[in-house]
Amino acid sequence: MKLAGEYWSLGMTIDTYAAQLWRKYRKRFTQNLNRSTIPPSMLERFAAQPLRMLILTEPYCDDSAQFVPVVWKLEQDIANLDVRILRQSEHPDLADRYLADAGHPAIPTFILMNDRFNELGALIERPRRVTADMIDETRRFQEANPTLPGIRRNVDRMPDETQAQLKQHIATWRDSQHDLWAGYLLEDLLAVVEH
């Protein structure tokens, strides 16, 4: 079994990855990069040691469009961070090592390593606080819209029209959470680096 660091040379830079995105994904990706800011105290902590980060992702992933640009901004702001992207679908052997709580390979996955490619740990999918926020907002939407057909069902079992309304609401709402969630991401990545 190959170590995560052995995949490094197969990865592409975030610049290369972003340039390959389809227009609709690239627009959101670039928007999230442009509005991301890294607090000076976090920059200082990330800059304390040379780091490498390997990100497993796919362009269609909403979490990737939200969180990978934050890491890109971090990479632009400090000299000692080097980031590479791998498409999860092209590396299932590596993806199978980083499973979501539900047991399936998750995207994105942020694998942190030191400058010698020794793995420090990984952040899988998204910060747990983001998942909790999303669950709470879905419940709020359900309670505020009791007349929508099948609104009390699990999302994947709702009628298509109800599911579409919920997804539209969540997409707009999650966009408003960018700064908060970027902070969660940075805190959780720092926890991996510093411990």
Side-chain angles (χ1 to χ4, degrees), residues 32-194:
N32 285 335
L33 170 67
N34 292 336
R35 69 182 180 163
S36 293
T37 58
I38 313 295
S41 61
M42 288 197 173
L43 287 173
E44 187 177 307
R45 290 168 67 191
F46 275 108
Q49 62 178 304
L51 296 170
R52 297 180 189 271
M53 189 181 308
L54 191 60
I55 303 173
L56 290 168
T57 190
E58 292 292 341
Y60 58 81
C61 174
D62 287 335
D63 286 332
S64 291
Q66 186 141 23
F67 296 122
V68 174
V70 176
V71 170
W72 193 9
K73 178 66 173 165
L74 180 65
E75 182 185 36
Q76 291 173 349
D77 287 353
I78 60 174
N80 70 323
L81 175 62
D82 197 7
V83 179
R84 293 292 181 272
I85 303 278
L86 291 173
R87 291 188 187 265
Q88 181 201 50
S89 60
E90 295 172 3
H91 303 280
D93 53 328
L94 182 60
D96 285 345
R97 295 187 217 164
Y98 303 95
L99 303 178
D101 290 340
H104 59 80
I107 50 176
T109 296
F110 302 89
I111 305 165
L112 291 130
M113 297 175 276
N114 65 19
D115 60 339
R116 294 179 312 277
F117 299 101
N118 295 317
E119 187 173 335
L120 303 172
L123 175 63
I124 299 172
E125 197 166 34
R126 68 176 81 95
R128 291 187 187 277
R129 293 172 285 179
V130 171
T131 301
D133 288 353
M134 291 175 71
I135 290 168
D136 290 345
E137 186 60 24
T138 298
R139 285 188 186 127
R140 277 191 287 279
F141 182 84
Q142 289 172 313
E143 290 168 8
N145 297 281
T147 60
L148 287 175
I151 192 64
R152 296 284 179 207
R153 296 181 190 166
N154 288 338
V155 175
D156 61 339
R157 298 188 69 221
M158 289 177 182
D160 291 342
E161 184 177 305
T162 301
Q163 191 178 91
Q165 287 184 43
L166 172 61
K167 286 182 178 183
Q168 178 58 46
H169 170 77
I170 292 295
T172 301
W173 170 80
R174 99 182 267 150
D175 191 56
S176 72
Q177 304 301 303
H178 181 78
D179 292 341
L180 176 66
W181 290 359
Y184 291 169
L185 174 72
L186 294 168
E187 288 169 6
D188 287 4
L189 291 172
L190 272 171
V192 172
V193 169
E194 295 177 343

